[in-house]
Amino acid sequence: MSAITRADVEHLGRLARLNLTPEEIDNFAGQLDVILTSVARISEVAADDIPPTSHPIPVENVYREDVVRPGLLRADVAAGAPAWEDDRFRVPRILGEA
Amino acid sequence: MADLMGNDLTRQSASTLADAISQGEVSAEEVTKAHLERIADVDPRVHAFLYVDSDDALAAARGVDAKRARGDQLGALAGVPLALKDVLTMKGVPTTCGSKILEGWRPPYDSHVVERLRANDIVILGKTNMDEFAMGSSTEHSAYGPTRNPWDLERIPGGSGGGSSAALAAFEAPLAIGTDTGGSIRQPAAVTGTVGVKPTYGGVSRYGLVALASSLDQAGPCARNVLDTALLHAAIAGHDPRDSTSINAAVPDVVGAALNGDVRGMRIGLVRELSGAGYQAGVELRFREAVELLEGLGAEVIEVSCPHFEYALGAYYLILPSEASSNLARFDGMRYGLRAGDDGSHSVEEVMAITREAGFGPEVKRRIMLGTYALSSGYYDAYYGQAQKVRTLITRDFDAAFAQVDVLISPTAPTTAFKIGEKVDDPIAMYLNDVATIPVNLAGNAAMSLPIGLAPEDGLPVGLQIIAPPMADDRLYRVGSAVESALVDTWGHLLIEEAPAL
């Protein structure tokens, strides 16, 4: 099922918003292949009619009181921001080159 | 009542220190100072701490002394120092999760665990080292360098919570907080001769716990003996509406169970699949002795089979990276933490990709890509979907076993502490450390690791894992207390007393 190529790793890097060096691409291609081959053993288990588990202790209909609670202080949030300008987060341009 | 005059305060148990503080034999400030001095003395060699919060710790200790002077009622652990894993937020104190991407970030809020610690007047000494975002079994994946095992400074202290376990074993703190996603409390406890408990999933709120894999993560107590662990468990557990998976029910009476320690008539299951090939001879030897010890104490030990456990590691290494790749998407360099490449020429998406390249270490990158692959279209059913079904089968194995027995036991880890550098470039070898602890996280059970002796071949600690059904955390302490008392009767002291002086 696996056999991870360098192109696959580059594609995964793009999906995950993760730049990779050529050395990293080489390393990860080999390592991801070994890991995926190892974990693929779970396909041996006949589980077609088994329901999936997403959470170990299922809890349903969790509500909380609809009351006003204090949020984070703006000054505290600003202090942790990598860039802050005019009382807002400053971010790089959103659109790519035309 | 122990007389502490002239004794080294850092060698005492948490409950002894709390009694002495409440009786006025010693001040909380003196206790905190003694531990800060110990940290200054040994931590340059051990590297358990990423940040020592001396001023706030001393202020908190003086606050406890003032409360006592006023005649206020003090909690069971008031004034006792604690080491906090750096994955839990503490307002105004650096929280890095062992990652460069959060270097220098000071959270604007306290985690639920920190709120509970403060409410119980426990003194937080600082933040402990860990594998980056809790991904690892050795602390070698910390961006700030590895922690060393106090039993042998050339060896790993376990992971991801190796800073917390090393702080206990180096007598830098009598209490610590860990988090356990696949064994990160229990395996470090096993390889350092300390005690650690992963509570039932949902037993301790995840609010303010920086998420690795949300359906597996659980914070829990660590200490050098069973009673101290129970007292800390009781302090941090309980319902919190800010975590929608927090269990809204009474916390099991863990302290009462730790004081009971009677296993007569208990039925204990030995998991056939968690021993044999891959387990070190000295680990197997001490484990067999522990089984005989439990039988001698009046428990009935039977072998049980959990046939799907052999697939647990595979299911875990699909579910965990999938959840992690999603959770770690929040580290995008926009609202907090590192931002790199913001020079006016790069777009926001490019800045995100440059920031994440610069901020994440190799293990985090590996798991993000693994999770991205397992969740991508065309592979989802074969990988993530199948892993979730296997998770159901593992839970059913536990259900069948607990229909026959009260608790299950196994060695906590297949080997004793290995050498730093030995497995760091071999992900599969590293992942195998957690083969015995991972099934518990998949099913949400409670489990403890307890020291049961030294492996003859290397003189390093071996841990016994005790597993209880969800919400039966008290059974861990009942069994743990029985084993610990019997071993102390044999040895004349706790195993940790045999650790090198440093």
Side-chain angles (χ1 to χ4, degrees):
Chain A
M1 233 175 343
S2 51
I4 301 289
T5 64
R6 293 184 91 256
D8 291 334
V9 174
E10 286 183 82
H11 178 61
L12 290 172
R14 275 194 300 277
L15 288 176
R17 305 286 183 274
L18 193 58
N19 279 1
L20 299 166
T21 64
E23 297 78 48
E24 282 180 321
I25 293 171
D26 285 336
N27 274 339
F28 287 142
Q31 288 173 340
L32 292 179
D33 202 50
V34 170
I35 296 167
L36 283 167
T37 304
S38 167
V39 299
R41 277 199 59 224
I42 64 164
S43 64
E44 293 169 10
V45 183
D48 283 350
D49 53 347
I50 304 297
T53 295
S54 64
H55 249 73
I57 315 287
V59 284
E60 286 173 14
N61 297 338
V62 177
Y63 300 111
R64 57 178 167 76
E65 293 299 308
D66 185 13
V67 292
V68 177
R69 293 180 302 158
L72 297 175
L73 295 176
R74 183 180 295 238
D76 289 346
V77 173
W84 186 263
E85 197 176 297
D86 295 338
D87 222 16
R88 297 172 179 85
F89 293 103
R90 186 183 65 72
V91 299
R93 64 186 162 78
I94 296 169
L95 300 176
E97 299 293 344
Chain B
M1 171 57 57
D3 178 7
L4 290 182
M5 292 294 285
N7 281 333
D8 182 348
L9 293 171
T10 65
R11 306 288 297 190
Q12 310 304 316
S13 71
S15 60
T16 302
L17 289 172
D19 283 348
I21 291 165
S22 73
Q23 301 291 321
E25 286 178 40
V26 63
S27 70
E29 186 177 2
E30 287 171 285
V31 170
T32 294
K33 272 187 175 157
H35 285 88
L36 290 172
E37 283 166 16
R38 175 73 178 168
I39 292 168
D41 184 25
V42 303
D43 213 52
R45 278 165 285 152
V46 176
H47 193 225
F49 284 87
L50 292 177
Y51 183 81
V52 180
D53 192 20
S54 305
D55 292 347
D56 287 339
L58 287 167
R62 283 192 287 267
V64 174
D65 291 332
K67 274 192 180 180
R68 188 187 168 274
R70 281 200 305 270
D72 291 1
Q73 186 71 36
L74 294 179
L77 291 172
V80 178
L82 173 140
L84 181 66
K85 189 176 179 184
D86 201 27
V87 70
L88 287 147
T89 62
M90 182 171 171
K91 185 171 181 173
V93 172
T95 298
T96 68
C97 301
S99 181
K100 289 285 181 197
I101 211 161
L102 280 178
E103 189 169 21
W105 181 61
R106 291 176 185 254
Y109 69 106
D110 276 344
S111 55
H112 182 79
V113 167
V114 167
E115 287 178 356
R116 299 296 307 150
L117 295 173
R118 292 192 202 274
N120 282 277
D121 286 317
I122 294 167
V123 175
I124 302 169
L125 294 173
K127 308 296 291 288
T128 56
N129 197 15
M130 55 186 284
D131 288 291
E132 186 174 1
F133 289 108
M135 298 186 196
S137 310
S138 69
T139 75
E140 290 167 290
H141 291 306
S142 167
Y144 304 97
T147 298
R148 291 168 182 276
N149 190 323
W151 289 81
D152 176 349
L153 296 175
E154 298 305 310
R155 289 175 189 268
I156 60 101
S160 65
S164 286
S165 67
L168 295 171
F171 293 89
E172 294 174 293
L175 297 173
I177 295 291
T179 61
D180 191 314
T181 304
S184 288
I185 286 175
R186 290 162 286 158
Q187 181 258 8
V191 299
T192 57
T194 58
V195 182
V197 166
K198 185 203 92 72
T200 297
Y201 180 82
V204 176
S205 169
R206 290 183 295 110
Y207 179 76
L209 163 58
V210 180
L212 167 55
S214 305
S215 80
L216 303 164
D217 295 342
Q218 186 55 223
C222 310
R224 289 190 293 257
N225 68 60
V226 171
L227 177 60
D228 287 356
T229 310
L231 291 166
L232 183 55
H233 189 139
I236 61 173
H239 183 242
D240 173 20
R242 295 168 301 186
D243 171 2
S244 61
T245 59
S246 173
I247 294 172
N248 192 358
V251 178
D253 181 14
V254 292
V255 175
L259 292 168
N260 170 339
D262 183 357
V263 294
R264 279 176 298 178
M266 272 187 100
R267 293 168 65 86
I268 295 177
L270 196 161
V271 185
R272 186 183 304 153
E273 286 77 9
L274 299 182
S275 64
Y279 286 78
Q280 188 180 322
V283 169
E284 293 258 21
L285 171 69
R286 295 301 175 225
F287 177 66
R288 281 198 303 276
E289 290 170 357
V291 171
E292 286 165 20
L293 179 73
L294 282 163
E295 286 173 330
L297 293 170
E300 183 190 348
V301 181
I302 62 167
E303 191 175 278
V304 297
S305 177
C306 295
H308 296 95
F309 279 17
E310 66 170 299
Y311 302 103
L313 200 68
Y316 177 85
Y317 277 102
L318 288 164
I319 291 169
L320 177 136
S322 297
E323 293 189 17
S325 67
S326 169
N327 275 325
L328 269 59
R330 64 170 56 89
F331 299 103
D332 57 12
M334 296 299 120
R335 293 153 300 162
Y336 41 73
L338 180 74
R339 179 184 295 181
D342 184 13
D343 57 5
S345 75
H346 294 108
S347 71
V348 69
E349 284 208 14
E350 289 164 347
V351 168
M352 287 179 187
I354 296 168
T355 297
R356 287 158 67 81
E357 177 190 25
F360 288 142
E363 182 63 17
V364 174
K365 290 176 181 172
R366 247 190 310 271
R367 294 202 198 180
I368 286 174
M369 284 193 289
L370 197 54
T372 305
Y373 183 83
L375 291 175
S376 55
S377 83
Y379 298 106
Y380 181 95
D381 287 342
Y383 286 113
Y384 188 68
Q386 176 75 0
Q388 286 192 311
K389 291 176 176 180
V390 171
R391 190 173 187 177
T392 304
L393 293 169
I394 288 163
T395 305
R396 289 181 183 175
D397 281 358
F398 273 119
D399 290 345
F402 287 125
Q404 301 174 68
V405 297
D406 301 306
V407 296
L408 297 168
I409 55 171
S410 77
T412 307
T415 69
T416 56
F418 49 91
K419 290 227 163 83
I420 289 172
E422 197 177 312
K423 301 182 181 181
V424 71
D425 292 322
D426 185 349
I428 294 286
M430 191 69 90
Y431 298 171
L432 281 168
N433 288 300
D434 300 329
V435 68
T437 47
I438 275 172
V440 169
N441 298 80
L442 290 171
N445 299 309
M448 169 186 281
S449 180
L450 179 79
I452 50 170
L454 303 177
E457 59 269 34
D458 55 20
L460 292 166
V462 175
L464 170 71
Q465 177 173 234
I466 308 160
I467 306 170
M471 291 309 284
D473 306 40
D474 51 318
R475 293 183 200 170
L476 307 175
Y477 291 95
R478 194 170 143 198
V479 177
S481 168
V483 172
E484 182 184 76
S485 304
L487 291 173
V488 167
D489 284 347
T490 306
W491 298 330
H493 53 75
L494 291 168
L495 186 69
I496 194 67
E497 298 294 336
E498 297 180 28
L502 290 174

mmCIF file of all heavy atoms in Angstrom, chain B residues 409-434:
data_model
loop_
_atom_site.group_PDB
_atom_site.id
_atom_site.type_symbol
_atom_site.label_atom_id
_atom_site.label_comp_id
_atom_site.label_asym_id
_atom_site.label_seq_id
_atom_site.Cartn_x
_atom_site.Cartn_y
_atom_site.Cartn_z
ATOM 1 N N ILE B 409 -1.960 -6.638 34.891
ATOM 2 C CA ILE B 409 -0.576 -6.238 35.121
ATOM 3 C C ILE B 409 0.319 -6.659 33.965
ATOM 4 O O ILE B 409 0.030 -7.618 33.249
ATOM 5 C CB ILE B 409 0.003 -6.812 36.441
ATOM 6 C CG1 ILE B 409 -0.145 -8.331 36.480
ATOM 7 C CG2 ILE B 409 -0.638 -6.150 37.652
ATOM 8 C CD1 ILE B 409 0.605 -8.977 37.645
ATOM 9 N N SER B 410 1.415 -5.896 33.805
ATOM 10 C CA SER B 410 2.445 -6.207 32.804
ATOM 11 C C SER B 410 3.689 -5.428 33.202
ATOM 12 O O SER B 410 3.617 -4.547 34.055
ATOM 13 C CB SER B 410 1.985 -5.762 31.406
ATOM 14 O OG SER B 410 2.114 -4.361 31.269
ATOM 15 N N PRO B 411 4.840 -5.721 32.592
ATOM 16 C CA PRO B 411 5.942 -4.762 32.721
ATOM 17 C C PRO B 411 5.515 -3.441 32.075
ATOM 18 O O PRO B 411 4.756 -3.438 31.105
ATOM 19 C CB PRO B 411 7.081 -5.413 31.919
ATOM 20 C CG PRO B 411 6.707 -6.855 31.779
ATOM 21 C CD PRO B 411 5.202 -6.882 31.756
ATOM 22 N N THR B 412 5.996 -2.298 32.605
ATOM 23 C CA THR B 412 5.616 -1.011 32.027
ATOM 24 C C THR B 412 6.302 -0.797 30.683
ATOM 25 O O THR B 412 5.691 -0.313 29.729
ATOM 26 C CB THR B 412 6.017 0.140 32.966
ATOM 27 O OG1 THR B 412 5.476 -0.108 34.257
ATOM 28 C CG2 THR B 412 5.489 1.474 32.449
ATOM 29 N N ALA B 413 7.589 -1.116 30.626
ATOM 30 C CA ALA B 413 8.370 -0.919 29.396
ATOM 31 C C ALA B 413 9.165 -2.195 29.145
ATOM 32 O O ALA B 413 9.535 -2.895 30.081
ATOM 33 C CB ALA B 413 9.314 0.271 29.551
ATOM 34 N N PRO B 414 9.451 -2.504 27.880
ATOM 35 C CA PRO B 414 10.147 -3.756 27.574
ATOM 36 C C PRO B 414 11.606 -3.778 28.022
ATOM 37 O O PRO B 414 12.168 -4.858 28.183
ATOM 38 C CB PRO B 414 10.039 -3.873 26.051
ATOM 39 C CG PRO B 414 9.622 -2.544 25.557
ATOM 40 C CD PRO B 414 8.958 -1.815 26.668
ATOM 41 N N THR B 415 12.209 -2.603 28.207
ATOM 42 C CA THR B 415 13.620 -2.564 28.602
ATOM 43 C C THR B 415 13.801 -1.532 29.710
ATOM 44 O O THR B 415 12.911 -0.730 29.980
ATOM 45 C CB THR B 415 14.540 -2.146 27.432
ATOM 46 O OG1 THR B 415 14.296 -0.763 27.131
ATOM 47 C CG2 THR B 415 14.291 -2.977 26.186
ATOM 48 N N THR B 416 14.981 -1.543 30.324
ATOM 49 C CA THR B 416 15.373 -0.467 31.229
ATOM 50 C C THR B 416 15.854 0.721 30.380
ATOM 51 O O THR B 416 15.826 0.658 29.148
ATOM 52 C CB THR B 416 16.497 -0.947 32.160
ATOM 53 O OG1 THR B 416 17.582 -1.413 31.352
ATOM 54 C CG2 THR B 416 16.015 -2.072 33.070
ATOM 55 N N ALA B 417 16.298 1.780 31.058
ATOM 56 C CA ALA B 417 16.719 3.002 30.349
ATOM 57 C C ALA B 417 17.849 2.688 29.369
ATOM 58 O O ALA B 417 18.844 2.077 29.740
ATOM 59 C CB ALA B 417 17.179 4.041 31.357
ATOM 60 N N PHE B 418 17.680 3.137 28.129
ATOM 61 C CA PHE B 418 18.742 2.918 27.133
ATOM 62 C C PHE B 418 19.640 4.151 27.057
ATOM 63 O O PHE B 418 19.359 5.188 27.660
ATOM 64 C CB PHE B 418 18.148 2.552 25.772
ATOM 65 C CG PHE B 418 17.037 3.442 25.283
ATOM 66 C CD1 PHE B 418 17.290 4.557 24.507
ATOM 67 C CD2 PHE B 418 15.703 3.154 25.623
ATOM 68 C CE1 PHE B 418 16.253 5.368 24.052
ATOM 69 C CE2 PHE B 418 14.659 3.964 25.176
ATOM 70 C CZ PHE B 418 14.945 5.077 24.398
ATOM 71 N N LYS B 419 20.726 4.015 26.310
ATOM 72 C CA LYS B 419 21.719 5.102 26.232
ATOM 73 C C LYS B 419 21.226 6.234 25.340
ATOM 74 O O LYS B 419 20.560 6.003 24.322
ATOM 75 C CB LYS B 419 23.044 4.553 25.682
ATOM 76 C CG LYS B 419 23.769 3.633 26.656
ATOM 77 C CD LYS B 419 25.249 4.013 26.759
ATOM 78 C CE LYS B 419 25.898 3.426 27.995
ATOM 79 N NZ LYS B 419 26.322 2.037 27.813
ATOM 80 N N ILE B 420 21.562 7.455 25.717
ATOM 81 C CA ILE B 420 21.250 8.617 24.882
ATOM 82 C C ILE B 420 21.908 8.417 23.515
ATOM 83 O O ILE B 420 23.073 8.046 23.435
ATOM 84 C CB ILE B 420 21.738 9.913 25.570
ATOM 85 C CG1 ILE B 420 20.854 10.203 26.790
ATOM 86 C CG2 ILE B 420 21.734 11.090 24.597
ATOM 87 C CD1 ILE B 420 21.330 11.345 27.663
ATOM 88 N N GLY B 421 21.136 8.632 22.453
ATOM 89 C CA GLY B 421 21.666 8.491 21.097
ATOM 90 C C GLY B 421 21.423 7.132 20.463
ATOM 91 O O GLY B 421 21.511 6.988 19.247
ATOM 92 N N GLU B 422 21.063 6.138 21.313
ATOM 93 C CA GLU B 422 20.960 4.771 20.806
ATOM 94 C C GLU B 422 19.829 4.582 19.785
ATOM 95 O O GLU B 422 19.970 3.821 18.829
ATOM 96 C CB GLU B 422 20.737 3.839 22.008
ATOM 97 C CG GLU B 422 21.009 2.381 21.759
ATOM 98 C CD GLU B 422 20.824 1.563 23.048
ATOM 99 O OE1 GLU B 422 21.364 1.955 24.102
ATOM 100 O OE2 GLU B 422 20.107 0.548 22.989
ATOM 101 N N LYS B 423 18.701 5.243 19.999
ATOM 102 C CA LYS B 423 17.530 4.987 19.147
ATOM 103 C C LYS B 423 17.001 6.241 18.451
ATOM 104 O O LYS B 423 15.967 6.182 17.790
ATOM 105 C CB LYS B 423 16.392 4.379 19.993
ATOM 106 C CG LYS B 423 16.780 3.079 20.669
ATOM 107 C CD LYS B 423 15.644 2.464 21.461
ATOM 108 C CE LYS B 423 16.111 1.174 22.133
ATOM 109 N NZ LYS B 423 15.060 0.511 22.900
ATOM 110 N N VAL B 424 17.711 7.370 18.609
ATOM 111 C CA VAL B 424 17.116 8.646 18.214
ATOM 112 C C VAL B 424 16.871 8.737 16.708
ATOM 113 O O VAL B 424 15.957 9.436 16.265
ATOM 114 C CB VAL B 424 17.966 9.832 18.754
ATOM 115 C CG1 VAL B 424 19.287 9.947 18.002
ATOM 116 C CG2 VAL B 424 17.191 11.133 18.692
ATOM 117 N N ASP B 425 17.652 8.014 15.905
ATOM 118 C CA ASP B 425 17.462 8.077 14.454
ATOM 119 C C ASP B 425 16.707 6.873 13.911
ATOM 120 O O ASP B 425 16.667 6.654 12.708
ATOM 121 C CB ASP B 425 18.825 8.193 13.751
ATOM 122 C CG ASP B 425 19.478 9.534 14.045
ATOM 123 O OD1 ASP B 425 18.746 10.541 14.093
ATOM 124 O OD2 ASP B 425 20.709 9.560 14.255
ATOM 125 N N ASP B 426 16.129 6.073 14.791
ATOM 126 C CA ASP B 426 15.387 4.883 14.373
ATOM 127 C C ASP B 426 13.966 4.959 14.948
ATOM 128 O O ASP B 426 13.704 4.462 16.036
ATOM 129 C CB ASP B 426 16.110 3.636 14.883
ATOM 130 C CG ASP B 426 15.460 2.347 14.381
ATOM 131 O OD1 ASP B 426 14.336 2.418 13.827
ATOM 132 O OD2 ASP B 426 16.072 1.287 14.560
ATOM 133 N N PRO B 427 13.039 5.617 14.216
ATOM 134 C CA PRO B 427 11.698 5.840 14.767
ATOM 135 C C PRO B 427 11.017 4.563 15.247
ATOM 136 O O PRO B 427 10.397 4.553 16.314
ATOM 137 C CB PRO B 427 10.922 6.458 13.594
ATOM 138 C CG PRO B 427 11.946 7.013 12.679
ATOM 139 C CD PRO B 427 13.201 6.213 12.882
ATOM 140 N N ILE B 428 11.136 3.470 14.491
ATOM 141 C CA ILE B 428 10.423 2.247 14.870
ATOM 142 C C ILE B 428 10.954 1.705 16.201
ATOM 143 O O ILE B 428 10.182 1.312 17.083
ATOM 144 C CB ILE B 428 10.543 1.178 13.761
ATOM 145 C CG1 ILE B 428 9.804 1.644 12.499
ATOM 146 C CG2 ILE B 428 10.001 -0.158 14.234
ATOM 147 C CD1 ILE B 428 8.297 1.585 12.570
ATOM 148 N N ALA B 429 12.281 1.708 16.382
ATOM 149 C CA ALA B 429 12.862 1.240 17.648
ATOM 150 C C ALA B 429 12.369 2.111 18.801
ATOM 151 O O ALA B 429 12.074 1.615 19.897
ATOM 152 C CB ALA B 429 14.386 1.262 17.577
ATOM 153 N N MET B 430 12.273 3.422 18.567
ATOM 154 C CA MET B 430 11.795 4.332 19.609
ATOM 155 C C MET B 430 10.322 4.039 19.925
ATOM 156 O O MET B 430 9.921 3.990 21.082
ATOM 157 C CB MET B 430 11.978 5.777 19.141
ATOM 158 C CG MET B 430 11.773 6.822 20.211
ATOM 159 S SD MET B 430 13.079 6.797 21.482
ATOM 160 C CE MET B 430 14.275 7.933 20.777
ATOM 161 N N TYR B 431 9.505 3.828 18.891
ATOM 162 C CA TYR B 431 8.066 3.606 19.104
ATOM 163 C C TYR B 431 7.812 2.322 19.914
ATOM 164 O O TYR B 431 6.845 2.238 20.666
ATOM 165 C CB TYR B 431 7.318 3.511 17.766
ATOM 166 C CG TYR B 431 7.369 4.766 16.899
ATOM 167 C CD1 TYR B 431 6.902 4.766 15.593
ATOM 168 C CD2 TYR B 431 7.886 5.966 17.395
ATOM 169 C CE1 TYR B 431 6.947 5.905 14.800
ATOM 170 C CE2 TYR B 431 7.942 7.106 16.595
ATOM 171 C CZ TYR B 431 7.476 7.068 15.300
ATOM 172 O OH TYR B 431 7.526 8.192 14.520
ATOM 173 N N LEU B 432 8.700 1.326 19.780
ATOM 174 C CA LEU B 432 8.487 0.046 20.468
ATOM 175 C C LEU B 432 8.596 0.163 21.992
ATOM 176 O O LEU B 432 8.141 -0.716 22.723
ATOM 177 C CB LEU B 432 9.482 -1.008 19.954
ATOM 178 C CG LEU B 432 9.104 -1.641 18.611
ATOM 179 C CD1 LEU B 432 10.268 -2.442 18.045
ATOM 180 C CD2 LEU B 432 7.870 -2.542 18.769
ATOM 181 N N ASN B 433 9.188 1.272 22.496
ATOM 182 C CA ASN B 433 9.238 1.472 23.946
ATOM 183 C C ASN B 433 7.849 1.507 24.571
ATOM 184 O O ASN B 433 7.685 1.275 25.754
ATOM 185 C CB ASN B 433 9.917 2.804 24.282
ATOM 186 C CG ASN B 433 11.386 2.747 24.031
ATOM 187 O OD1 ASN B 433 12.078 1.938 24.625
ATOM 188 N ND2 ASN B 433 11.862 3.592 23.127
ATOM 189 N N ASP B 434 6.864 1.909 23.778
ATOM 190 C CA ASP B 434 5.528 2.150 24.307
ATOM 191 C C ASP B 434 4.570 1.002 24.034
ATOM 192 O O ASP B 434 3.362 1.139 24.187
ATOM 193 C CB ASP B 434 4.963 3.448 23.710
ATOM 194 C CG ASP B 434 5.827 4.651 24.043
ATOM 195 O OD1 ASP B 434 6.453 4.638 25.116
ATOM 196 O OD2 ASP B 434 5.888 5.589 23.236
#
